[in-house]
Amino acid sequence: MSTPGRLFAAQFRRELVATMRSLQEALNPLVFLFLAITLFALGVGVEPETLGRHAPGIIWVLVLLSNLLALEGLFRRDFDDGTLEQLVLLGEPLFLPVLAKVAAQWCVSGLAMTLLAPLAALLLYLPADALGVTLLTLLTGSPALTLFGAVGAALTVGLRRGGVLLALLILPLYVPTLIFGAGAITLAMAGSDVSAQIYLLTAISMLSVTVAPFAVQAALRISLEQS
Amino acid sequence: MSTPGRLFAAQFRRELVATMRSLQEALNPLVFLFLAITLFALGVGVEPETLGRHAPGIIWVLVLLSNLLALEGLFRRDFDDGTLEQLVLLGEPLFLPVLAKVAAQWCVSGLAMTLLAPLAALLLYLPADALGVTLLTLLTGSPALTLFGAVGAALTVGLRRGGVLLALLILPLYVPTLIFGAGAITLAMAGSDVSAQIYLLTAISMLSVTVAPFAVQAALRISLEQS
Amino acid sequence: MTIRELWHRLGSPRWFYGISRPLGIVLGVLALGLLLTGTLWGLLFAPEDYQQGNSFRIIYIHVPTAIVAQSVYMLMGAAGLVLLVWRMKMADVVLTAAVPFGMTMTALALFTGAVWGKPTWGAWWVWDARTTSMLVLLFLYFGLFALRQAIPRRETAGRACAVLAVVGVINIPIIKYSVDWWLTLHQGATFKLTEAPAMPPEMWLPLLLNVLGVYCFFGANLLGRMRAEILEREQGTQWVRELVAVHPIESARS
Amino acid sequence: MHDGLLQIAGFCCERDGRVLFEALNLNLGRGDALELRGPNGSGKSTLLRAIAGLYPDYSGTIETAESLYLGHRPGVSALLTAAENLAWYGALRPGDTEVEAALERVGMTGYERVACQHMSAGQQRRVALARLLVCAAPLWLLDEPLTALDRSGQALVRSLIEGQRQAGGAVLCATHQPLELADGRVLDLEARR
Amino acid sequence: MHDGLLQIAGFCCERDGRVLFEALNLNLGRGDALELRGPNGSGKSTLLRAIAGLYPDYSGTIETAESLYLGHRPGVSALLTAAENLAWYGALRPGDTEVEAALERVGMTGYERVACQHMSAGQQRRVALARLLVCAAPLWLLDEPLTALDRSGQALVRSLIEGQRQAGGAVLCATHQPLELADGRVLDLEARR
Ligand code: HEM
Ligand SMILES: Nc1ncnc2c1ncn2[C@@H]1O[C@H](COP(=O)(O)OP(=O)(O)OP(=O)(O)O)[C@@H](O)[C@H]1O
Ligand SMILES: Nc1ncnc2c1ncn2[C@@H]1O[C@H](COP(=O)(O)OP(=O)(O)OP(=O)(O)O)[C@@H](O)[C@H]1O
Ligand SMILES: [Mg+2]
Ligand SMILES: [Mg+2]
């Protein structure tokens, strides 16, 4: 048995290193985000005012989808090369490395997207004064996305081509986060106060931090029983 | 050497069987489409007139994205279990099985999405009289999406690197299809004639059918030399 | 017997198979009676709605299905929890058996709603708090269904679905709340449902009967599916072999 | 017995309707080694995974001490270097051997900084073997540890097993090539049919 | 020579700065069999992949007849059944053996309809071996074909190889377990260092 701190740190470091080795892969979701935004500008038409008015929704939906893309591979490679089963066998208590894995994932996708949001907002003519709120909503909301997503990823890891199935499982769970996130920005654009929504987003993220790791842990054990 | 027809048929059958092993897998991309639409309504808001006006763009972009997701795993599994390298070694001429693979993929994702487009249109308040055109654009346009996407999938299958490259490389290829597709529907809603756009879409698909398989073929060879 | 005994008994498929048959029959008969009276009364004798005319009568299918669809998901969440915590086989059976019914009810509620929407709202579909959360519910159901289909091993599939169901149930209230709030944000598209409580008794009594009827129908259907599921899972065991040997017809029917 | 590391009683298991085990009894104590033989598909991997806790549908009881499982899949992450892989394992279940020492023992010095995806099949297996040194557990469950290993590698596996036994551990090893262990027991699953 | 199925001249190759081959010359004619030995990482797989056409960074010339390559990855798709897998191969490069016959030859009768993801390691390797019968090519390139196979499986591989030689084909086989082929040549990559 090793100390909790050491366990968490080791897993976290491992994840980051592995990500850095396949940096391009880690960047994919971000590129996807901007690709999709560009497509939207092209497909929906670029009258600044309409785009600007819909920007919050578009940004948030696309953040959801690209998050999905990032999560798809969260456990896949570890499962294929057998390190996942070793983690489940040796990692005690398991929820610590799981938490570390998810945290690392969030730093790479959730956090990165948050930081890049202003760029996206710019492309979509989001009024400058709504920028701060956009950042805030993403920062408080994205942890929930990653955590719920991790549950889905853990459930589908054993399956070939789990990619789209994953979407089916977790997108419905994303609904509240999406609504409050996009809604808050819209409200802010209308000039009203949004602290309530921010609190709600934070609450959802908190809830998921407490619940999800255990769900993931259970899901991993279950998925490994198949092979 | 086996006859071209037999080669194509065998590969086509194989793909369909592998997909239909669990039929619901084939349905997933479709459900994903509707999930995304729902998310959009939730994020962007549902004033009928705005939704209706943007419906063409939204539908096309989402079809495009779910196509991307569906394609993501087109070669991955075959690569992992080593059947892909066997295909490249044994399949002569290689472009036939490749074409078959893509065709099967299209039947499962592209075609199915086309057939379900009316439902999507309904959810997005697309005027009923624009339905026919929507179907037509998707029918003529989606082959190009699948084929171009396949090139990207082939480039990224083996190596971890190059994912970003792919996105940047696919985007310009998708743009014309998207513009003509969404544009045609918008025009039709305005009551004007769209045969020109339909012809253009068909032309693009034709072009991709002739070019893409060879590009995929080359890309596969490149990817396999890595490992 | 005490609750605890019942609990342990419930754990045994064989015992359950034994008692479930009469129970299922009772529920089935009840469902038939309630639904017949409720529907006939509602469709033939209940007065017209003063503003909607006859189209309002869809309510007698729409509301019951909608209500039951939601309760079924709750039930599955509970079953999932039991399966994960106490590893009780029967909970998995419930989980397996309930999904199709719940999904059908949700789809039916959506469909009847859409059909109703055409005359009342002038559109097949309108983004409204209820419709939206119902749609999300359908997606939740589909997720469960797809996951079960995707996993070959039954036990694995069962527990995977349990995890999903539990997480889903935790989310449902949040989803409902958020969707309501979302509607207030986008006032543009709100459409009022006809107020149920305002209905005169001869309008809502048949409705009540139908709601109860659909619940009973669900109970009967659930038991039936569970019995079939049990037979399939326990095929290897002694008692099933005997059962099949004794009444081939009966066991084939169930 | 008191110092029993593995006690299996009445182990029954069937897969796809084929009965693999009926009422298997098995005990391993300190210093024991058992070779698991049998034709393809006779259930060796299944048994090992069941003991490790990765395969639940069996009946019967399995009491086991902490174990290390080395399966068909090496459990070596391709993106990481040999040293990084082992360091991670060391953090999960610390043993008494240092990473460098372990790598030297399995003859992979000079590869500490090489990403495992750039290693040959056998080299990856060697890294996987080093795990047995970096982590510590009284019971080893090895599934065809000789796979892809050359002569020296096969000798290495034998000496690792002997070392574990001397240290008071036990080894259960499924293999198709005889290991010829000093007073090692052999369980042939075919013979039991 | 005229009936040469494989001619390698001045084959040089290095990976990660390690020189694996310098000026290797190799000829295989009809009926020949060559065992490729060598420690882990000595370049056996690399050579085979280079001949198969899967590894381009080498200098020197390789002239080869049509070949079948069986590598570390079995080339069996997990979702498909054994029969479906083989039928597909048969369509790619038709040989003279029927699918059922091939499966029977490798001792997998009864598994035609079993999805390969539900097979044990060795059973999957056997399905991969059946490919050598379903497809036809004068030159076989086998990379550790004995992996995960039980006794009977190993005998099977030997008889398959002999069959191919009698049919006038040639076999190049990397392995760590001696195959003891009748007048088979052996190339030990370590000895050449
Ligand atoms: C696809 C469209 C629709 C869906 C998904 C839908 C869904 C629902 C749901 C979930 C309920 C709540 C049941 C409960 O828990 O109490 C409900 C109740 C009801 N719906 Fe709909 N509905 C739709 C369309 C309509 C339309 C068009 C009307 C009529 C104008 C309507 C009238 C009612 C009434 C009167 C109730 C009962 C009132 C109440 O329970 O408070 N619905 N519907
Ligand atoms: N994918 C790769 N990328 C880079 N280098 C590699 C790769 N695979 C192998 N190598 C290097 O090439 C050398 C030869 O590898 P190869 O797989 O040919 O050896 P081998 O003889 O097959 O070993 P084994 O008996 O373990 O299979 C090794 O030293 C290894 O470090
Ligand atoms: N993932 C799986 N799903 C279903 N059945 C399986 C699975 N893996 C193996 N089996 C079945 O279980 C039986 C035993 O498999 P197992 O892997 O334990 O055999 P094994 O002794 O390890 O064989 P090998 O020597 O080839 O590794 C086989 O007959 C196989 O058909
Ligand atoms: Mg095995
Ligand atoms: Mg090799």
Side-chain angles (χ1 to χ4, degrees):
Chain A
M1 297 309 89
S2 67
T3 66
R6 186 165 171 224
L7 201 53
F8 185 95
Q11 189 69 36
F12 193 78
R13 196 174 324 108
R14 175 178 187 275
E15 297 304 320
L16 286 190
V17 172
T19 316
M20 289 312 139
R21 291 285 156 73
S22 60
L23 192 57
Q24 311 291 54
E25 204 183 5
L27 288 182
N28 274 350
L30 299 177
V31 177
F32 175 87
L33 180 62
F34 285 97
L35 180 155
I37 287 178
T38 324
L39 291 181
F40 256 97
L42 290 170
V44 176
V46 288
E47 309 84 32
E49 73 290 346
T50 41
L51 254 192
R53 197 145 43 76
H54 298 323
I58 299 181
I59 291 181
W60 257 96
V61 173
L62 294 184
V63 165
L64 289 196
L65 296 185
S66 31
N67 228 304
L68 212 65
L69 208 61
L71 284 164
E72 211 263 319
L74 179 55
F75 298 111
R76 173 70 33 86
R77 203 174 321 115
D78 288 0
F79 178 83
D80 289 340
D81 60 28
T83 42
L84 193 58
E85 66 189 11
Q86 292 299 333
L87 177 65
V88 170
L89 289 177
L90 301 177
E92 280 176 13
L94 182 53
F95 81 91
L96 274 175
V98 164
L99 199 59
K101 222 170 158 40
V102 178
Q105 171 71 17
W106 179 76
C107 295
V108 176
S109 68
L111 188 56
M113 283 179 205
T114 309
L115 299 181
L116 283 180
L119 203 50
L122 208 79
L123 288 175
L124 291 171
Y125 302 114
L126 184 82
D129 51 4
L131 258 185
V133 183
T134 314
L135 275 179
L136 207 54
T137 52
L138 286 173
L139 193 63
T140 48
S142 53
L145 299 185
T146 311
L147 282 153
F148 281 131
V151 179
L155 283 174
T156 51
V157 64
L159 315 171
R160 306 288 185 291
R161 67 160 58 192
V164 193
L165 178 61
L166 176 63
L168 297 192
L169 299 190
I170 62 181
L171 280 182
L173 304 181
Y174 281 175
V175 166
T177 319
L178 166 68
I179 288 180
F180 291 127
I185 308 177
T186 320
L187 278 183
M189 280 159 60
S192 47
D193 166 61
V194 296
S195 44
Q197 281 69 33
I198 301 295
Y199 287 136
L200 280 168
L201 284 174
T202 322
I204 297 178
S205 290
M206 287 300 161
L207 178 74
S208 54
V209 170
T210 50
V211 176
F214 295 96
V216 173
Q217 178 178 346
L220 285 180
R221 289 226 160 81
I222 293 165
S223 296
L224 280 172
E225 287 169 4
Q226 300 171 75
S227 60
Chain B
M1 297 308 88
S2 67
T3 68
R6 185 162 172 229
L7 199 55
F8 184 94
Q11 187 70 34
F12 192 76
R13 198 175 322 108
R14 176 180 187 272
E15 297 304 318
L16 284 190
V17 171
T19 314
M20 298 300 171
R21 261 299 121 81
S22 63
L23 181 67
Q24 137 278 336
E25 272 184 358
L27 296 181
N28 289 349
L30 308 177
V31 182
F32 173 82
L33 182 62
F34 287 97
L35 259 168
I37 288 177
T38 313
L39 293 182
F40 249 95
L42 286 171
V44 175
V46 289
E47 297 77 21
E49 70 290 347
T50 39
L51 252 193
R53 196 145 43 76
H54 297 323
I58 299 181
I59 291 180
W60 256 94
V61 173
L62 291 185
V63 164
L64 207 148
L65 293 186
S66 31
N67 235 312
L68 265 185
L69 284 191
L71 281 168
E72 205 251 352
L74 181 56
F75 297 110
R76 172 73 24 83
R77 198 167 1 106
D78 289 359
F79 177 82
D80 290 339
D81 59 27
T83 41
L84 192 59
E85 66 188 10
Q86 292 299 332
L87 176 65
V88 170
L89 289 177
L90 301 177
E92 280 175 12
L94 182 53
F95 81 92
L96 274 175
V98 165
L99 196 60
K101 223 170 156 43
V102 179
Q105 174 68 24
W106 181 75
C107 294
V108 175
S109 67
L111 184 57
M113 283 183 203
T114 308
L115 298 181
L116 279 186
L119 215 49
L122 198 93
L123 286 178
L124 290 171
Y125 301 135
L126 185 79
D129 50 5
L131 257 184
V133 182
T134 313
L135 273 178
L136 209 54
T137 52
L138 286 173
L139 193 64
T140 48
S142 52
L145 298 185
T146 311
L147 282 153
F148 288 138
V151 180
L155 267 178
T156 46
V157 60
L159 55 182
R160 303 271 184 256
R161 32 208 140 88
V164 181
L165 187 91
L166 153 70
L168 301 175
L169 185 142
I170 292 298
L171 170 58
L173 299 182
Y174 275 171
V175 169
T177 321
L178 174 65
I179 289 181
F180 291 128
I185 308 177
T186 321
L187 278 182
M189 281 159 60
S192 47
D193 167 63
V194 296
S195 45
Q197 282 74 8
I198 300 295
Y199 288 135
L200 279 167
L201 283 174
T202 323
I204 297 179
S205 289
M206 290 298 167
L207 179 72
S208 57
V209 170
T210 50
V211 176
F214 295 95
V216 173
Q217 180 176 345
L220 284 180
R221 289 225 159 83
I222 295 170
S223 301
L224 280 172
E225 285 167 3
Q226 308 302 325
S227 62
Chain C
M1 73 187 99
T2 69
I3 299 296
R4 155 175 293 267
E5 277 170 18
L6 178 66
W7 184 251
H8 286 302
R9 290 273 189 84
L10 272 176
S12 127
R14 180 179 185 175
W15 179 81
F16 182 87
Y17 188 86
I19 63 142
S20 58
R21 184 140 191 274
L23 200 59
I25 295 176
V26 172
L27 283 175
V29 174
L30 262 179
L32 199 64
L34 285 169
L35 285 176
L36 270 182
T37 27
T39 312
L40 290 182
W41 184 358
L43 293 189
L44 302 182
F45 306 114
E48 286 195 2
D49 183 80
Y50 60 93
Q51 38 172 236
Q52 297 189 22
N54 276 323
S55 71
F56 97 98
R57 296 183 193 275
I58 301 181
I59 198 174
Y60 296 116
I61 310 163
H62 173 72
V63 176
T65 47
I67 296 178
V68 171
Q70 293 161 317
S71 345
V72 171
Y73 199 94
M74 296 299 164
L75 174 75
M76 290 197 304
L81 199 62
V82 173
L83 177 61
L84 289 179
V85 176
W86 289 283
R87 296 229 159 187
M88 186 193 265
K89 263 192 196 167
M90 294 306 298
D92 184 12
V93 178
V94 172
L95 210 53
T96 322
V99 175
F101 192 89
M103 206 158 66
T104 323
M105 285 301 121
T106 320
L108 214 59
L110 280 165
F111 178 73
T112 49
V115 173
W116 198 351
K118 192 59 178 168
T120 21
W121 297 339
W124 290 105
W125 180 263
V126 159
W127 290 98
D128 148 278
R130 275 224 184 92
T131 58
T132 309
S133 41
M134 207 62 180
L135 193 59
V136 175
L137 185 64
L138 184 66
F139 287 135
L140 285 174
Y141 270 117
F142 198 94
L144 274 176
F145 184 73
L147 188 60
R148 160 115 20 213
Q149 297 299 317
I151 301 180
R153 252 192 79 227
R154 183 186 277 123
E155 295 77 5
T156 313
R159 258 176 292 130
C161 289
V163 172
L164 188 62
V166 171
V167 176
V169 163
I170 295 177
N171 269 269
I172 279 192
I174 310 179
I175 293 179
K176 265 192 156 337
Y177 174 70
S178 64
V179 169
D180 287 337
W181 179 78
W182 166 74
L183 200 69
T184 61
L185 180 63
H186 299 277
Q187 273 309 327
T190 36
F191 288 71
K192 271 270 146 285
L193 302 180
T194 54
E195 301 310 330
M199 295 195 275
E202 61 271 32
M203 265 200 195
W204 60 257
L205 259 180
L207 184 55
L208 186 63
L209 291 188
N210 267 6
V211 173
L212 295 178
V214 174
Y215 268 114
C216 293
F217 179 33
F218 169 62
N221 179 288
L222 183 68
L223 290 180
R225 288 176 177 279
M226 285 175 73
R227 289 161 58 77
E229 187 74 18
I230 289 174
L231 280 187
E232 192 185 336
R233 293 184 182 209
E234 308 274 308
Q235 9 177 275
T237 61
Q238 190 55 33
W239 68 273
V240 172
R241 288 219 195 79
E242 288 166 2
L243 184 71
V244 180
V246 177
H247 348 265
I249 321 295
E250 189 268 339
S251 51
R253 223 193 294 106
S254 51
Chain D
M1 64 272 209
H2 167 261
D3 68 349
L5 296 178
L6 174 66
Q7 281 137 3
I8 302 181
F11 179 84
C12 308
C13 162
E14 71 177 37
R15 276 186 116 155
D16 305 348
R18 281 183 208 78
V19 174
L20 297 178
F21 297 94
E22 38 208 338
L24 170 76
N25 298 318
L26 185 58
N27 287 317
L28 284 185
R30 307 203 167 285
D32 289 356
L34 177 65
E35 260 182 67
L36 207 54
R37 301 265 185 81
N40 294 130
S42 54
K44 300 182 292 301
S45 301
T46 306
L47 177 59
L48 290 177
R49 292 182 70 84
I51 297 172
L54 289 170
Y55 184 72
D57 6 326
Y58 58 84
S59 62
T61 65
I62 298 182
E63 292 175 22
T64 169
E66 280 185 353
S67 64
L68 288 178
Y69 168 75
L70 173 56
H72 284 297
R73 282 179 294 189
V76 169
S77 139
L79 288 175
L80 301 180
T81 68
E84 286 163 347
N85 269 297
L86 293 176
W88 176 68
Y89 277 111
L92 283 184
R93 172 78 51 99
D96 39 13
T97 319
E98 285 312 312
V99 169
E100 286 68 24
L103 278 173
E104 183 179 359
R105 179 78 198 281
V106 299
M108 290 292 290
T109 33
Y111 284 86
E112 294 84 355
R113 311 227 163 327
V114 178
C116 291
Q117 64 187 349
H118 293 174
M119 290 183 186
S120 76
Q123 288 167 328
Q124 290 186 15
R125 293 296 301 187
R126 282 169 181 263
V127 176
L129 285 173
R131 191 174 81 217
L132 298 172
L133 299 166
V134 171
C135 304
L139 177 61
W140 285 2
L141 306 168
L142 311 178
D143 199 348
E144 300 186 25
L146 301 184
T147 307
L149 290 177
D150 58 14
R151 285 259 164 56
S152 67
Q154 300 175 5
L156 168 70
V157 171
R158 293 193 177 87
S159 74
L160 285 177
I161 293 180
E162 289 306 344
Q164 166 77 348
R165 294 171 70 185
Q166 260 114 53
V171 179
L172 179 54
C173 174
T175 177
H176 294 301
Q177 298 160 307
L179 284 172
E180 290 121 6
L181 298 170
D183 60 62
R185 288 149 57 193
V186 172
L187 170 62
D188 193 325
L189 296 181
E190 189 172 34
R192 295 177 53 256
R193 289 278 165 79
Chain E
M1 64 270 208
H2 168 261
D3 68 350
L5 295 176
L6 173 66
Q7 281 138 4
I8 301 181
F11 179 82
C12 308
C13 162
E14 72 176 38
R15 273 186 118 156
D16 303 349
R18 282 184 210 76
V19 174
L20 297 176
F21 298 94
E22 38 207 340
L24 171 77
N25 299 317
L26 184 59
N27 288 318
L28 284 184
R30 307 203 167 284
D32 289 356
L34 178 66
E35 258 181 70
L36 208 53
R37 299 266 186 81
N40 294 132
S42 55
K44 301 182 293 299
S45 301
T46 306
L47 177 59
L48 290 177
R49 291 181 71 84
I51 298 173
L54 289 169
Y55 183 72
D57 326 338
Y58 60 85
S59 63
T61 66
I62 300 181
E63 294 175 18
T64 169
E66 279 185 354
S67 63
L68 288 178
Y69 168 74
L70 173 56
H72 285 296
R73 281 180 296 190
V76 170
S77 133
L79 286 178
L80 300 179
T81 67
E84 286 162 346
N85 269 297
L86 292 176
W88 176 69
Y89 277 112
L92 284 183
R93 176 74 56 94
D96 39 14
T97 319
E98 285 311 312
V99 170
E100 286 69 20
L103 277 174
E104 184 179 359
R105 179 78 197 280
V106 298
M108 290 293 291
T109 34
Y111 284 86
E112 294 84 355
R113 303 212 170 349
V114 177
C116 291
Q117 63 187 347
H118 294 172
M119 290 182 185
S120 77
Q123 289 168 328
Q124 291 188 13
R125 294 296 299 188
R126 282 168 181 263
V127 175
L129 284 173
R131 193 172 81 219
L132 298 172
L133 299 166
V134 172
C135 305
L139 178 62
W140 284 2
L141 306 168
L142 312 179
D143 198 348
E144 300 186 25
L146 301 184
T147 306
L149 291 177
D150 57 16
R151 285 260 165 56
S152 67
Q154 301 176 3
L156 168 71
V157 170
R158 294 195 176 85
S159 74
L160 285 177
I161 293 180
E162 289 306 343
Q164 166 78 346
R165 294 171 71 187
Q166 260 117 52
V171 179
L172 180 55
C173 174
T175 177
H176 294 300
Q177 293 159 264
L179 284 171
E180 291 122 5
L181 297 169
D183 61 63
R185 289 149 56 192
V186 172
L187 170 63
D188 193 326
L189 296 180
E190 188 172 34
R192 296 176 51 259
R193 291 276 167 81

